């Protein structure tokens, strides 16, 4: 079974690959309570920055939503690189992947979370 860092790295890369294909219209679709899908992706990237603990500054919002996949890739990689990735971070990514893509998380992937609920941190 992969450890949390491997799982976060793999799932973040998978999500980023899919998001790179999105059009501007897909990014502006509603994603309550965050506003748009772009806002949701930015929230996820910010959560990785916060968890990595490398800065206390907010993650800048990029001018183009089409750059969000790259921002998400970099911030997830930073969290993995710091050694602070946990199964809770993987669960956070998966709950937002479900919100972004509208697909349920496969049972085989849920089993790898060892009972960690799919939820956003408070």
């Amino acid at each position: 079974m992969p450890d949390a860092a491997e799982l976060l790295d793999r799932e973040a890369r998978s999500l980023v690959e899919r998001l790179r294909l999105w059009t501007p219209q897909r990014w502006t679709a509603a994603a309550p309570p965050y506003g748009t899908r772009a806002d949701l992706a930015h929230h996820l990237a910010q959560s990785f920055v916060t968890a990595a603990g490398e800065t206390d500054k907010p993650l800048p919002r990029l001018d183009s939503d089409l750059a969000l996949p790259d921002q998400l890739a970099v911030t997830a990689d930073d969290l993995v690189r710091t050694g602070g990735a946990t199964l809770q971070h993987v669960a956070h990514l998966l709950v937002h992947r479900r919100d972004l893509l509208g697909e349920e998380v496969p049972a085989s992937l849920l089993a790898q979370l060892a009972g960690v609920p799919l939820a956003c941190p408070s």
Side-chain angles (χ1 to χ4, degrees):
M1 178 180 304
D3 68 8
E6 287 177 43
L7 199 53
L8 182 63
D9 183 57
R10 183 186 77 202
E11 294 306 316
R13 286 176 192 266
S14 173
L15 176 60
V16 164
E17 285 176 18
R18 294 181 71 184
L19 295 179
R20 283 190 173 132
L21 303 174
W22 279 20
T23 62
Q25 294 77 20
R26 287 194 80 179
W27 284 111
T28 59
Y34 297 97
T36 66
R37 289 175 175 163
D39 296 330
L40 191 156
H42 184 263
H43 159 80
L44 183 58
Q46 178 64 60
S47 74
F48 292 153
V49 168
T50 301
E54 294 182 328
T55 183
D56 58 355
K57 295 182 180 180
L59 185 65
R61 183 62 191 266
L62 303 173
D63 291 336
S64 172
D65 293 341
L66 298 177
L68 281 165
D70 292 331
Q71 190 176 47
L72 189 56
V74 169
T75 57
D77 186 63
D78 284 348
L79 178 55
V80 168
R81 187 182 42 75
T82 66
T86 66
L87 290 177
Q88 286 79 16
H89 297 123
V90 176
H92 188 199
L93 177 130
L94 294 176
V95 73
H96 287 316
R97 182 180 82 175
R98 181 185 62 203
D99 295 341
L100 286 165
L101 303 177
E103 301 171 354
E104 289 303 317
V105 178
S108 60
L109 190 49
L110 288 175
Q112 293 181 59
L113 291 178
V116 175
L118 290 185
C120 294
S122 6

